Amino acid sequence: RQQATSVTGLDISDELITLARQRSNEKGLSIDYRIQDLRQSWPHFEADIICAFEIIEHLSEPIESFIAKCDQIASEKCYLYISSLNKTLLAKILAIWLTEEVLGWLDPGTHDFDSFIPLDELINKLSPQWELIDLEGVTWSIKQQRFVSSASTDIHYLCCFRRKQNGSAFSH
C-alpha cells in the first residue's frame, strides 16, 4: 500500500488553520497547513486527493472555473470529494430558513440559494474529466439529534469523483 509523501491543507480562515494545526500536532501528524484564498490564487502542486467540502455553494466564480482549476492541479489518479447543499426547495427551507432564520445555527445570509449547484448539473459539468464513483446524502436526524448519512440527496450531497484517463476512469 502506498503512503502519501505529503499532505497540504488549505483554508481561507486563519482561525480554522490554527485549530487544524493544533489538532494534527496533538496526533503527531505532519501536515502543511496554509492560509490561502482560492479566489485569488491556487497552489502550484499536483494533488492526488482534492476535498472541497462546503465550498462550491460559496464560490464567487462560475463552477466551470473551479472545475478547470481542479483539473490543473489534479494528478492522473486524483480523487475529488465535493459536498454541498443541493439546489432544491427542501434544502432552501431547511438549510437557509430553518438553520439561519429560525434556529440561528448560522448567521443570516451565510447561504445564497441562487449560488447552490444542483447535483445533476455538477455531475454533468464534471463528467468530461471525472467519473462519479460514490454518492450519498446527508440529512438531520431528529431522533439522534445529529447529521446522518442518507440515501436522499435532496438536501445535501457528498460525492466522490475519480479522474478519467484516456476517456475512461482508471482501474485500481
Side-chain angles (χ1 to χ4, degrees):
R1 183 175 180 166
Q2 282 187 326
Q3 299 228 344
T5 55
S6 66
V7 176
T8 303
L10 307 174
D11 201 287
I12 192 172
S13 166
D14 180 41
E15 181 181 337
L16 291 178
I17 289 292
T18 300
L19 180 61
R21 280 186 183 131
Q22 176 187 350
R23 289 183 177 170
S24 65
N25 288 340
E26 289 169 1
K27 296 181 185 211
L29 301 174
S30 177
I31 300 175
D32 175 18
Y33 288 105
R34 301 177 190 175
I35 299 166
Q36 187 156 7
D37 184 348
L38 297 179
R39 295 172 296 186
Q40 305 300 321
S41 66
W42 275 63
H44 299 287
F45 56 76
E46 189 172 79
D48 293 325
I49 297 172
I50 301 170
C51 296
F53 296 149
E54 310 313 310
I55 299 288
I56 64 171
E57 68 269 30
H58 300 286
L59 295 174
S60 58
E61 61 187 10
I63 187 66
E64 294 84 358
S65 297
F66 175 80
I67 292 168
K69 289 174 182 174
C70 287
D71 288 342
Q72 288 174 1
I73 66 168
S75 71
E76 289 183 6
K77 294 187 176 185
C78 186
Y79 288 87
L80 172 61
Y81 294 88
I82 296 177
S83 68
S84 183
L85 293 162
N86 206 348
K87 192 169 189 171
T88 64
L89 180 58
L90 188 58
K92 183 176 185 176
I93 292 168
L94 295 177
I96 297 177
W97 179 74
L98 185 64
T99 62
E100 293 180 19
E101 304 298 329
V102 176
L103 298 173
W105 289 355
L106 299 171
D107 292 334
T110 297
H111 293 102
D112 174 9
F113 184 70
D114 292 335
S115 298
F116 289 10
I117 307 215
L119 176 59
D120 58 341
E121 180 180 324
L122 177 69
I123 293 169
N124 287 335
K125 290 185 184 297
L126 282 164
S127 67
Q129 297 294 326
W130 300 87
E131 175 190 26
L132 178 66
I133 60 170
D134 198 10
L135 170 66
E136 63 182 59
V138 178
T139 192
W140 179 257
S141 169
I142 294 171
K143 182 179 178 181
Q144 297 177 11
Q145 291 294 297
R146 64 182 181 96
F147 290 99
V148 295
S149 183
S150 169
S152 172
T153 58
D154 289 342
I155 301 169
H156 191 277
Y157 53 82
L158 175 59
C159 312
C160 177
F161 296 89
R162 180 170 47 202
R163 185 160 188 161
K164 293 179 180 178
Q165 290 183 321
N166 302 323
S168 63
F170 68 91
S171 304
H172 56 114

